[in-house]
Amino acid sequence: MNDVQAMERLGEARGQGLAAIETASSLEELRAAEVAALGRRSPVAEVQRSLGTIDLADRPRIGREVNRVFEDLRAAVAARRVALEAEAEADVALTDRIDVTLPGRRPPPGGLHPLTSTMRAVVDAFISLGYRVSEGPELETEWYNFDALNFPPDHPARLTQDTLYPDVPGDLLLRTHTSPVQIRTMEAQEPPIYVVIPGRCFRRDTPDATHLPVFQQVEILAVDEGLSLADMKGTLEAWARAMFGPDQRVRIYPDYFPFVEPGAGLDVSCFLCGGRGCRVCGNGWIELLGAGMVHPALFENTGIDPERYSGFAAGLGIERVAMLLHGVPDIRMFYEGDVRFLSQLARSA
Ligand code: PHE
């Protein structure tokens, strides 16, 4: 072999070797290309072996060129190996760390607070009986909360130990019940009136299992010609069955509130023992609401003719109804914000 042939061979070997190395698409292909370009049977190795047949004068130059081609090919193999290993690593990392067949993580669904869903159920039951929603302010005057409702001036409910009087101008208080909206509604509307009144109420109570200083009521008021105690009883029984089921037994007994005459209370049979008597209810009944026929004094206070119209009203505590519906033993659980409790009773809207 002469020097020209040797240089030509080396040039070809270099070009072919680099091409094979750089296009190797896997580590196996790269190893094959490496053996072909740098192994004992590679064209460069052949030239190296036949160096002895080259003129002594040309031999050092050809020898240096052999080494340079070897080096270039080795460098190309090393660079390609790094690239292929990085690719393989990235593939392994993806498939190992991420199971792309897993379903996505859903955000936890929101739900209605049990007091919200109970409030809506109570209001909806009266809406389905033909009632409309009426509302009034939480910050009330003494007139609407007490006087217009026929409370005498010395009634103990007015005392600061029962009623919260905020430090604001005017004779304002935080309403202790939703009944003042009876007055506001009768002032604003002509009979026939059939309204359901949801709202927050406030009393100066120390929190315990059945009392909180902030709670919610629903009031109902019906004023029309010829309404009697029988209408009140039928309406409340229909509501109780809609809320608690058709087997719910209801009893109505005399009670006193200054704004009704006669006044009544309504009990439902106990949700736990079914009316036989147990630790929760004692005698089989649970007190649920106050009610009665609208006192004529309220008609006089609002300009409605008591000779022509009569009416009935009722007020109930939403927390009490929710406790009955869900068997919750302590009213405070509704307000502690413990998701482990709330999520058991949450309803989607
Ligand atoms: N407002 C009364 C209370 O809070 C309930 C009630 C409403 C009673 C309507 C009779 C008629 O205790």
Side-chain angles (χ1 to χ4, degrees):
M1 195 190 293
N2 63 33
D3 65 324
V4 178
Q5 287 170 325
M7 286 303 275
E8 232 166 59
R9 287 267 188 89
L10 288 173
E12 273 168 26
R14 192 173 181 281
Q16 282 170 4
L18 287 178
I21 290 161
E22 273 152 25
T23 56
S25 62
S26 67
L27 288 167
E28 290 83 67
E29 274 185 44
L30 179 62
R31 222 159 288 131
E34 182 182 15
V35 168
L38 290 155
R40 280 157 37 94
R41 303 225 189 101
S42 63
V44 199
E46 256 171 47
V47 173
Q48 189 180 39
R49 267 196 299 279
S50 44
L51 271 178
T53 64
I54 289 171
D55 274 359
L56 208 53
D58 298 321
R59 218 176 282 168
R61 186 167 53 87
I62 304 300
R64 278 197 298 278
E65 187 59 17
V66 166
N67 287 340
R68 204 174 297 139
V69 173
F70 267 134
E71 267 163 39
D72 287 353
L73 291 170
R74 268 190 218 110
V77 167
R80 188 67 192 141
R81 177 167 295 129
V82 168
L84 285 173
E85 278 173 357
E87 265 173 40
E89 162 83 356
D91 285 351
V92 167
L94 267 182
T95 49
D96 269 6
R97 283 183 219 146
I98 300 170
D99 182 349
V100 293
T101 66
L102 277 177
R105 249 176 241 163
R106 287 175 192 277
L112 290 182
H113 190 282
L115 294 180
T116 304
S117 53
T118 303
M119 176 65 97
R120 290 192 187 174
V122 169
V123 171
D124 284 354
F126 283 108
I127 286 176
S128 73
L129 291 171
Y131 286 66
R132 293 166 157 237
V133 175
S134 185
E135 284 182 294
E138 294 173 356
L139 204 53
E140 260 299 1
T141 62
E142 287 239 32
W143 168 254
Y144 284 112
N145 197 78
F146 292 125
D147 298 279
L149 288 165
N150 204 34
F151 281 76
D154 56 353
H155 194 283
R158 298 180 188 248
L159 295 178
T160 52
Q161 73 194 46
D162 286 330
T163 298
L164 291 158
Y165 292 87
D167 196 7
V168 294
D171 65 341
L172 296 175
L173 49 78
L174 287 165
R175 68 177 177 193
T176 60
H177 49 181
T178 42
S179 301
V181 191
Q182 286 189 38
I183 304 296
R184 291 180 175 276
T185 306
M186 288 191 282
E187 278 178 348
Q189 295 178 28
E190 295 285 321
I193 295 170
Y194 291 90
V195 288
V196 53
I197 303 158
R200 211 188 313 269
C201 305
F202 309 84
R203 282 182 204 177
R204 192 159 175 181
D205 276 327
T206 305
D208 64 24
T210 53
H211 297 85
L212 281 176
V214 183
F215 57 98
Q216 299 176 71
Q217 284 192 339
V218 169
E219 188 95 5
I220 66 153
L221 172 68
V223 181
D224 206 340
E225 285 179 20
L227 288 181
S228 74
L229 206 59
D231 297 300
M232 181 191 91
K233 195 165 177 257
T235 302
L236 296 179
E237 282 181 1
W239 169 77
R241 297 219 169 81
M243 283 303 294
F244 300 104
D247 300 332
Q248 189 64 51
R249 284 182 298 137
V250 165
R251 72 172 183 184
I252 291 176
Y253 52 92
D255 201 349
Y256 175 75
F257 302 92
F259 40 94
V260 285
E261 181 58 37
L266 181 141
D267 288 353
V268 290
S269 51
C270 177
F271 64 96
L272 263 187
C273 64
R276 264 172 276 116
C278 68
R279 273 192 322 147
V280 170
C281 62
N283 61 1
W285 296 97
I286 291 180
E287 187 185 337
L288 197 57
L289 54 80
M293 301 305 291
V294 178
H295 196 290
L298 275 63
F299 290 143
E300 270 157 40
N301 288 335
T302 54
I304 289 176
D305 179 1
E307 298 299 322
R308 185 171 168 202
Y309 294 106
S310 58
F312 60 85
L316 58 95
I318 284 300
E319 287 82 357
R320 165 61 63 93
V321 174
M323 287 169 81
L324 283 172
L325 274 180
H326 300 297
V328 174
D330 192 317
I331 189 175
R332 290 169 290 194
M333 296 170 84
F334 290 119
Y335 288 92
E336 280 163 354
D338 188 334
V339 177
R340 290 169 304 179
F341 166 71
L342 295 175
S343 59
Q344 293 178 57
L345 307 182
R347 279 215 327 232
S348 53

